[in-house]
Amino acid sequence: MTKASALHRPHLVKRLAAEGIRLTAQRKMLVEIIQDSSDHLDAASLLRLAKKRDSHIHRATVYRTLDLLKRLSLIDELDLMHLEGEKHFYEVRTKSEHFHLACFRCGKIVEHKTPTFELLKKEISKQTGFRINVIRLEVGGECRNCGAQSSNLPRKVGVP
Amino acid sequence: MTKASALHRPHLVKRLAAEGIRLTAQRKMLVEIIQDSSDHLDAASLLRLAKKRDSHIHRATVYRTLDLLKRLSLIDELDLMHLEGEKHFYEVRTKSEHFHLACFRCGKIVEHKTPTFELLKKEISKQTGFRINVIRLEVGGECRNCGAQSSNLPRKVGVP
DNA sequence: CATCTGATGCGACTGAGTCGCATTAAGTCA
DNA sequence: TGACTTAATGCGACTCAGTCGCATCAGATG
């Protein structure tokens, strides 16, 4: 489950400071790990990585920090179609909307982007009057590779 | 959390039979409850309703049946932006794609539909080569009403 | 540097969902 | 219709993600 890119590195720590958020050592560390990760991390993985740097950091701190970053719209929460259990994954929010495709067969996660998605977002606001804070599009199915190879059962969902 | 409509009633029991699925009393009952509900049910609510008819039905049967219906693409699973905990909600899959908007302030769930969403789905298939089994779009924010009334904190996610 | 207040660590707890296994009951066929 | 086969159910123990209350700690501020 590797992220497509970690190119731009918006300095989240600075943005936290700008918000007047108390900058604890733990928060700095967690934010750095999230930013530097090339994967979509879930809470447990984040905790595991954090413990390598400070073995005393606690699960609750990780959850509280993720909550904070979510509320500040600095990160987005993903389900990735619950391909592996009920956990959530996190990624730094970028300016341009993208979404995720999950292959039920091989488990691959692909990030994708198209102007139609941006258009859709604008349209939704206009049509419904919602002020959109979060928009999450997830697609589950069979990637090109897997579709080419066979016609067995998808792993979790789909035609039986 | 009331569903917009329960107008068309695709007879899921018949579709199960058509698939050669063993039609147990429990499955029939659960499918009926899901179909007849005007709400998005979560597993616990479904169990509660089912127990009114057959007090011996077990949690595990509910989860197994939901899994079955998901695999058969007869129902869709929703998060509804985790407005109330981590549970999932379910609805009968209809032919036309719609999606859900959740207001972080008042908790209202709105179903919405626009041709752009259908277009987006086709585009994704074409551009990525994915055979799409499930597509889930969820929007979180502030509904028109709540936005008009105040400018306090959203309930769970968003600007602090 | 002293103070104030919000954040952390901790461990117990909750709630959703899963699993293995003994028992039950659909579907089938004579 | 009744016997048979096999899948589904009920059950309870279990797992795993996430939460909570509270005592302690440490940023920020003057």
Side-chain angles (χ1 to χ4, degrees):
Chain A
M1 201 168 297
T2 302
K3 271 200 297 194
S5 78
L7 294 176
H8 32 59
R9 181 152 312 170
H11 226 298
L12 291 196
V13 173
K14 274 183 188 146
R15 296 177 62 188
L16 283 178
E19 299 276 351
I21 299 296
R22 192 174 287 197
L23 271 189
T24 66
Q26 292 88 337
R27 284 178 177 166
K28 273 184 226 161
M29 178 175 60
L30 291 171
V31 157
E32 279 172 24
I33 295 174
I34 295 172
Q35 279 186 143
D36 292 354
S37 168
S38 58
D39 280 341
H40 295 113
L41 295 176
D42 63 283
S45 310
L46 179 54
L47 177 62
R48 207 176 327 109
L49 290 172
K51 282 202 187 229
K52 285 188 189 166
R53 294 212 220 165
D54 167 7
S55 63
H56 291 304
I57 193 169
H58 194 268
R59 196 169 66 256
T61 302
V62 169
Y63 285 111
R64 288 189 280 235
T65 302
L66 288 173
D67 260 19
L68 175 73
L69 298 173
K70 261 193 286 176
R71 272 184 290 113
L72 295 172
S73 300
L74 298 182
I75 60 172
D76 280 313
E77 187 177 68
L78 315 171
D79 285 357
L80 301 184
M81 280 293 164
H82 299 304
L83 229 51
E84 28 178 297
E86 299 301 318
K87 58 196 168 198
H88 297 118
F89 299 88
Y90 300 91
E91 66 180 12
V92 176
R93 181 176 297 195
T94 55
K95 314 94 226 129
S96 85
E97 300 288 354
H98 67 281
F99 51 90
H100 299 85
L101 295 95
C103 177
F104 288 136
R105 216 182 289 256
C106 70
K108 190 170 63 178
I109 303 292
V110 176
E111 298 193 346
H112 191 66
K113 195 188 316 197
T114 147
T116 308
F117 187 36
E118 309 267 359
L119 171 68
L120 177 61
K121 187 181 169 184
K122 290 198 190 82
E123 219 182 270
I124 293 170
S125 271
K126 192 175 294 180
Q127 290 173 355
T128 66
F130 256 72
R131 188 174 64 74
I132 299 179
N133 266 316
V134 193
I135 180 161
R136 184 153 91 193
L137 174 62
E138 298 199 349
V139 179
E142 199 173 37
C143 70
R144 198 195 308 263
N145 249 353
C146 291
Q149 282 176 16
S150 72
S151 36
N152 301 330
L153 273 171
R155 248 179 36 185
K156 283 196 68 168
V157 181
V159 187
Chain B
M1 201 168 298
T2 302
K3 270 200 299 194
S5 78
L7 294 177
H8 33 58
R9 181 153 311 172
H11 226 297
L12 291 196
V13 173
K14 275 184 188 145
R15 296 176 61 187
L16 283 177
E19 299 277 351
I21 300 296
R22 194 176 284 197
L23 271 188
T24 66
Q26 292 88 337
R27 284 177 177 167
K28 273 184 228 162
M29 178 175 59
L30 291 171
V31 156
E32 280 171 23
I33 294 174
I34 295 172
Q35 281 186 141
D36 292 354
S37 169
S38 58
D39 280 341
H40 295 112
L41 295 176
D42 64 283
S45 310
L46 179 53
L47 177 62
R48 207 175 328 109
L49 291 172
K51 282 203 186 231
K52 286 188 189 166
R53 295 211 220 165
D54 168 7
S55 63
H56 292 303
I57 194 169
H58 194 268
R59 196 168 67 256
T61 303
V62 170
Y63 284 111
R64 287 189 281 235
T65 302
L66 288 172
D67 260 19
L68 175 73
L69 297 173
K70 263 193 285 177
R71 272 184 291 113
L72 295 172
S73 299
L74 298 182
I75 60 172
D76 280 315
E77 187 177 69
L78 315 171
D79 285 357
L80 300 185
M81 281 292 164
H82 300 303
L83 228 53
E84 29 177 296
E86 298 303 317
K87 57 196 166 198
H88 296 118
F89 298 88
Y90 300 90
E91 66 178 11
V92 176
R93 181 177 297 197
T94 55
K95 315 92 225 133
S96 85
E97 300 289 352
H98 67 282
F99 52 90
H100 299 86
L101 296 96
C103 177
F104 289 136
R105 215 182 289 257
C106 69
K108 191 170 62 179
I109 302 293
V110 176
E111 298 193 346
H112 191 65
K113 194 187 318 196
T114 147
T116 307
F117 187 36
E118 309 268 357
L119 171 67
L120 177 61
K121 186 181 170 185
K122 290 198 189 84
E123 219 182 270
I124 293 170
S125 272
K126 193 175 291 181
Q127 291 172 356
T128 66
F130 256 72
R131 187 174 65 75
I132 298 178
N133 266 316
V134 193
I135 181 162
R136 184 154 91 194
L137 174 62
E138 297 199 349
V139 178
E142 199 173 37
C143 69
R144 197 195 308 262
N145 249 352
C146 291
Q149 281 175 16
S150 73
S151 36
N152 302 329
L153 274 170
R155 250 180 33 186
K156 282 197 69 168
V157 181
V159 186

